[in-house]
Amino acid sequence: MNRKRRCGTLMHITSLPSPFGIGDLGPAAYQFAAFLRDTGQTIWQILPLNPTSEAMGNSPYSSPSAFAGNTLLISPELLVKEGFLDEQHLSGSNLEFSEKMVDYQKALKYKNELLHVAYHQWIDRNGMRSPEYMLFCKEQSAWLDDYALFMALKSYFQGAGWMFWDKDFCDRKPSAMAEVRTKLASTIEQEKFCQYLFFGQWNALKKYCNDLGILLFGDMPFYVGHDSADIWAHPEYFKLAANNMPTKVAGVPPDYFSETGQLWGNPIYDWKRLEKGGFSWWRDRLSHNLKLFDWLRLDHFRAFSAYWEVDAGEETALNGKWVETPGEAFFSTMQEQFPQLPIIAEDLGEIDQPVRDLMAKFDLPGMALLLFAFGEDLPTNAYAPHLHKRHLIVYTGTHDNITVKGWYKQEASHDDKMRLQHYVGKPLTPKTAPEAMIRLALMSVADTAIIPMQDWLGLGAKATMNRPSHGEGNWRWRLSPDAITLDLVMKYRLLIDTYGRAVES
């Protein structure tokens, strides 16, 4: 990673404006890239691009695939421009979409109908598959074939988890697989075609951003979902019983926020088996993501040192234990293939020395959140600006935190507010607190400062992207179409220039 002063914005693709109920890879994405350039920013950080599901609360961190792209992000407008749809197809729906919040259910219905039309129109016009499509399928075959078959079977079994399918399909019996590939051939092909569209639009956006000098900063979850193509296709890499159910599950132990910890329920990796195979599945996953992004954040990084393991069947994470991960062997193997290793460690929360040692050995930068800096331990708090180091990424907050305005108004104690005001040397209000916090991030000695879009705009708690303790209503915030004004661009360009973080001309 090239160390120089940079600045960027955290905003997921779903939060972009669009006429179709959810942000996508279309015109608004290109306009947002131009906004970043005009303000002197060089980083656009997003959340995972993997498919989401209503059953998992539409979280981008809970997906049926660690490799596939979320087809909800495909732009209908670009499909017209690319010749996959006709203009009249975009006005054929009677659905009304909100500009204020993502409407996953309506957007999914609308996009699926459009993609179905695009697929059949493509088949009719091409007669046979195009060379570009064939090349895509060949290059992505390591995951695409399994994913397309998995999704076709999931539809065939009316959405049931793979562990509840007929045994021949659970166990991937060769004769059953050959038969179903023929039976569901059209559905399988359409799944592959939709992935072809997604990655085509993503790669075009990435090229545009890179040409503007903007790096795309992605995010990779640590665990994968039980009901995923990854575990169905590679059960040997996970701790599963003979009935395909987990024997051990993931979570985190009790802490200040929860007396019983958090029980996530994801199956645990069989790290001995993974290491014996040269970490090939992880290597493929990392390679795939590093082609999509210029930088990559590894979520729940501490699990590369040790993870919290709980027996399946436990009702809480209380009775778990720490189990060491072969993190040093893993990163040594990854570094052989990816010498630059442009990885950022999500090291938030209670982190022990072995995690710090692992980060130091492989020169991986961590994160500092200003929202967590102004407690009683301010003078010695590593998140406080006066203790920042260059090899660090400073944030006002992340997608999992309330906005700065919301924090100041609703969550910060009186003492927290007083400490912040004393630190910046002036009185603050909920309206002025976001800019004060942004200035602290930008003036930090940390090489990189990332500001969530909601904080750039000074928005309140309702604009929070995700409330981890709330099961509903998350991942829905959207940027208003008229939110980015010339005054906003000029104001933040001046700030970014002042603190030496502007893009080099």
Side-chain angles (χ1 to χ4, degrees), residues 149 152-153 156-157 166 169 175-189:
L149 179 56
L153 279 167
Y156 179 75
F157 285 108
D166 293 348
F169 298 119
S175 59
M177 293 295 96
E179 182 180 343
V180 81
R181 282 191 181 97
T182 300
K183 184 176 182 179
L184 302 180
S186 180
T187 306
I188 292 169
E189 204 69 42

Side-chain angles (χ1 to χ4, degrees), residues 331-350:
F331 282 107
S332 293
T333 302
M334 296 304 108
Q335 199 168 48
E336 290 176 8
Q337 183 162 347
F338 315 107
Q340 301 304 315
L341 216 60
I343 284 172
I344 289 84
E346 184 275 289
D347 59 341
L348 305 175
E350 296 183 11

Side-chain angles (χ1 to χ4, degrees), residues 18 31 60 91 154 170 176 194 198 209 213 243 247 265 272 274-275 277 341 393 428 447 453 456 464 474 484 486:
S18 88
Q31 293 163 10
S91 57
K154 196 165 180 63
C170 281
C194 290
F198 171 86
C209 288
N243 64 354
T247 59
K272 290 183 179 179
L274 285 163
E275 186 173 13
L341 216 60
I393 300 185
L428 296 173
D447 287 330
M453 191 63 195
W456 281 123
T464 301
N474 294 321
I484 297 177
L486 181 58

